[in-house]
Amino acid sequence: MILRRLETRGFRNLEDQVLDFHEGFNVFEGGNGHGKTNALEALYWIATLTPLRAGKLTELVAFGQSTCLVRAEVELDGLQHRLECGLNGPERVVRREGKATRAAAYFGVLSAILFTPEDAGLLRESPGARRRYLDRAIFTGRSSHLSVVLEHRRALRARNESLRSSSDPHLLEAFEGTLAASGARLVTARRAFVQELSAEFASAYAHVAGSGDGPVLTYEPSLDLDDPEGHALSLAADRARDRDRGFTGRGPHADDLSISLEGHPARTFASQGQQRALVLALKVAEIRRLRTLFDLTPVLLLDDVSSELDGVRNARLFEVLSDFKGQVFVTTTDSSHIKTPRPASVFEVLAGRIRGRPHP
Amino acid sequence: MLALSRLPGIGEKTATRLTFFLLHAAPEIAKELAAALGDVHERVRLCSVCCTMTEPDPCRLCADPRRDDRIVCVVESVPSQLAIERTGEFRGRYHVLHGVLSPLDGIGPEDLHLRELMVRVAAGLDEIIVATNPSVEGEATALYIQRLARPFGVKVTRIASGVPIGSDLEYADQVTLARALSGRREL
């Protein structure tokens, strides 16, 4: 997939403009606060319908305006697709090929994988961050995963509410049934994903770190069951304890993804450099898995590749990406630090205005 | 105009159009409408058997002697009931819950017309078909009814979900298709 053109209107601090992209590398260069990451956020938003940083969608709208619009032209298998998403006040408008559509029917044209400096902390963050990583990564290859996640979340909230507000055992049992059905699907999908990723992950790490420490990726379910019936029985067994606590203790919402290095948990055992390499390897494995299983080459979004932060990391990143055939977008404060393996377009970002200039 | 625009699906423009239609048309039309609306709350009530909205009690469908008393189709709302009735496939009785269990919205079993349903279960039924929507709440309501009915030994079934007939597979959304695939059957 190639993102040929992007148009933004009323988006964050960006001027209303149309950008034509290179099918290889595209570098957004500019000082802090001028809007490089906003440009990347526009790309991420139109790919995933999720903002990069904004807590509330309305933060995406430029100050003093009430609507914003991002429009993209994407080439996939020789066909031109048009995607559009915008905000009309608080209301999100999503269009594919010029027609308003539901989110479920929107995805499938453009997939993006994001690299940010915050990624390095994934191993030290809460299990919730790793679950979000898992679900997002599964979604990139199979967008229907989103509905499983949302259904599970809704059923979980309903059971928790019933635990607190009702003494009717049948009511709990009813929501345990729906929770178990979506929970089992969630566990099955995550387990399959981790298994598919594992082999690619070990070789990607060897590539990234330059050593074969043999990292192992494990999905750690708190309810080790793929079948809805077993899931429901476990929830029923937990009922008394869950009622005391006021929430559901075990299930996919309490699971974790663990990474070990030489048999020790990487979270505590690995150095910062190793942790960075592990997370980078995770993403590289993700890209390879998409190609192997779905014949899909996503767009890569690399935020804040600034050499003063970590020159070695960036050199490694670009070396690893040298065999990547797809389109890459990078933000940086200084494009001279970026040695792209292939031709690139450089865009200068100054106070919200983005101007293309030929690569020196 | 303001009163009309409070109705669902009617915006300012439609309300204006309706108002001017009523002003220009024969006065009887407006009078008939006013009369029909005026006593709607007095005349329409819930059927004492199936809880649908009706003028006669019991309702037309509950009173029809040709329908099968042993099978009851449970639906969320009157529009759902009308949709199933339009198929002409179902010749049993109905039961309208007027909602689904939703703890997050504060809707519990006592807010639905489940007591009336259990009266009918206790009187003896062969099958309950639960035709609530395929949402988290709809599925949970189906399971709840199954738990309630279990001691009475009545069979509880759930309608299937999948791809709409007459539409192309390519137009079905991914969620519906995924569900249809997981619910496949052997030929």
Side-chain angles (χ1 to χ4, degrees):
Chain A
M1 61 187 66
I2 302 162
L3 216 159
R4 291 281 178 202
R5 171 173 282 193
L6 184 79
E7 182 183 346
T8 63
R9 276 196 235 154
F11 187 85
R12 290 232 187 229
N13 81 329
L14 300 183
E15 259 186 24
D16 295 358
Q17 55 206 328
V18 179
L19 300 169
D20 288 307
F21 294 125
H22 197 281
E23 59 178 56
F25 278 73
N26 295 274
V27 180
F28 295 109
E29 179 187 32
N32 290 322
H34 282 273
K36 331 183 271 299
T37 303
N38 291 346
L40 210 67
E41 181 162 42
L43 296 171
Y44 190 69
W45 190 41
I46 201 158
T48 63
L49 298 183
T50 312
L52 204 55
R53 300 164 297 174
K56 281 190 224 129
L57 276 180
T58 46
E59 291 170 25
L60 297 176
V61 182
F63 188 71
Q65 301 211 27
S66 60
T67 64
C68 74
L69 182 73
V70 180
R71 194 177 276 163
E73 283 176 27
V74 182
E75 188 179 314
L76 182 67
D77 300 328
L79 293 174
Q80 299 289 336
H81 297 271
R82 276 184 304 152
L83 298 177
E84 232 177 276
C85 58
L87 286 173
N88 203 344
E91 195 188 337
R92 188 178 70 186
V93 186
V94 175
R95 291 197 189 89
R96 181 167 162 177
E97 321 302 353
K99 286 194 193 123
T101 173
R102 289 179 303 133
Y106 173 83
F107 298 110
V109 171
L110 182 62
S111 309
I113 291 187
L114 175 73
F115 295 73
T116 77
E118 288 91 63
D119 287 345
L122 184 68
L123 300 186
R124 272 171 282 123
E125 274 187 69
S126 68
R130 287 183 289 279
R131 288 191 297 272
R132 277 194 296 281
Y133 164 74
L134 275 179
D135 288 329
R136 171 141 307 279
I138 299 170
F139 163 82
T140 308
R142 201 178 58 213
S143 58
S144 63
H145 185 67
L146 178 64
S147 74
V148 182
V149 173
L150 294 179
E151 200 180 306
H152 179 263
R153 189 183 301 166
R154 201 165 167 80
L156 181 65
R157 286 172 59 208
R159 182 179 186 258
N160 285 345
E161 186 54 43
S162 310
L163 280 170
R164 293 188 280 258
S165 63
S166 167
S167 55
D168 182 346
H170 291 318
L171 185 67
L172 264 180
E173 228 179 302
F175 280 99
E176 279 162 12
T178 53
L179 184 59
S182 56
R185 279 198 287 159
L186 204 50
V187 171
T188 307
R190 286 179 183 169
R191 202 198 300 275
F193 171 78
V194 171
Q195 198 175 5
E196 287 157 9
L197 204 64
S198 285
E200 303 277 17
F201 175 63
S203 74
Y205 182 75
H207 191 170
V208 173
S211 73
D213 295 338
V216 177
L217 204 57
T218 321
Y219 182 56
E220 293 180 337
S222 55
L223 274 180
D224 196 6
L225 297 160
D226 296 27
D227 64 308
E229 293 76 23
H231 234 89
L233 284 175
S234 303
L235 287 170
D238 287 354
R239 211 175 284 160
R241 196 183 48 174
D242 285 352
R243 203 188 281 283
D244 284 344
R245 295 194 289 193
F247 62 88
T248 305
R250 294 191 299 165
H253 63 288
D255 294 354
D256 201 351
L257 172 73
S258 87
I259 299 180
S260 67
L261 207 53
E262 295 171 41
H264 302 283
R267 166 196 262 266
T268 47
F269 177 77
S271 71
Q272 270 206 359
Q274 282 174 319
Q275 294 204 6
R276 261 191 205 139
L278 285 167
V279 178
L280 182 57
L282 209 54
K283 301 228 164 177
V284 171
E286 218 186 297
I287 296 165
R288 292 185 183 164
R289 169 185 170 269
L290 287 174
R291 192 178 53 205
T292 314
L293 287 183
F294 302 100
D295 207 9
L296 183 78
T297 306
V299 165
L300 305 191
L301 307 177
L302 278 54
D303 190 25
D304 200 11
V305 182
S306 303
S307 83
E308 60 268 31
L309 283 180
D310 182 7
V312 182
R313 170 180 81 112
N314 297 328
R316 185 88 8 105
L317 175 59
F318 283 104
E319 188 206 308
V320 171
L321 291 178
S322 64
D323 67 341
F324 178 71
K325 301 283 184 293
Q327 198 178 22
V328 183
F329 296 85
V330 188
T331 71
T332 182
T333 48
D334 186 352
S335 66
S336 66
H337 298 312
I338 292 179
K339 308 271 181 290
T340 59
R342 285 182 288 141
S345 288
V346 177
F347 296 88
E348 282 173 356
V349 186
L350 190 66
R353 175 182 298 191
I354 305 177
R355 284 273 169 81
R357 72 166 153 86
H359 203 238
Chain B
M1 253 186 265
L2 186 64
L4 283 171
S5 64
R6 286 193 195 121
L7 300 175
I10 296 187
E12 202 183 329
K13 280 184 195 155
T14 312
T16 311
R17 217 174 108 215
L18 292 175
T19 308
F20 281 99
F21 168 79
L22 290 171
L23 288 173
H24 288 302
E28 290 74 46
I29 294 186
K31 283 193 186 123
E32 267 175 46
L33 184 64
L37 291 176
D39 56 359
V40 64
H41 281 283
E42 282 78 56
R43 284 170 60 185
V44 177
R45 62 200 130 168
L46 296 190
C47 170
S48 55
V49 181
C50 75
C51 303
T52 194
M53 291 177 179
T54 178
E55 284 190 39
D57 187 21
C59 72
R60 188 177 56 78
L61 293 173
C62 286
D64 187 341
R66 292 163 301 175
R67 300 186 77 105
D68 187 350
D69 275 326
R70 309 291 300 173
I71 303 179
V72 167
C73 177
V74 179
V75 291
E76 279 182 44
S77 63
V78 179
S80 302
Q81 178 193 12
L82 295 178
I84 293 176
E85 188 54 19
R86 268 199 303 272
T87 66
E89 277 296 308
F90 181 65
R91 300 300 297 159
R93 309 281 182 187
Y94 290 95
H95 192 88
V96 184
L97 296 174
H98 294 279
V100 277
L101 295 172
S102 181
L104 296 172
D105 302 309
I107 301 172
E110 61 287 349
D111 301 307
L112 307 179
H113 292 271
L114 286 165
R115 201 167 293 124
E116 292 89 338
L117 177 65
M118 293 321 292
V119 169
R120 302 173 76 180
V121 171
L125 291 178
D126 290 338
E127 183 178 355
I128 300 175
I129 303 171
V130 187
T132 49
N133 288 324
S135 60
V136 167
E137 290 76 12
E139 298 291 351
T141 307
L143 287 173
Y144 187 78
I145 291 171
Q146 190 237 328
R147 299 291 189 277
L148 286 186
R150 195 161 44 187
F152 296 91
V154 50
K155 181 162 90 174
V156 181
T157 56
R158 181 86 178 98
I159 53 163
S161 62
V163 181
I165 299 200
S167 71
D168 271 346
L169 275 187
E170 57 180 310
Y171 295 123
D173 67 79
Q174 292 149 343
V175 178
T176 307
L177 269 180
R179 201 180 271 248
L181 272 174
S182 66
R184 68 186 180 276
R185 59 192 166 80
E186 201 178 311
L187 292 173

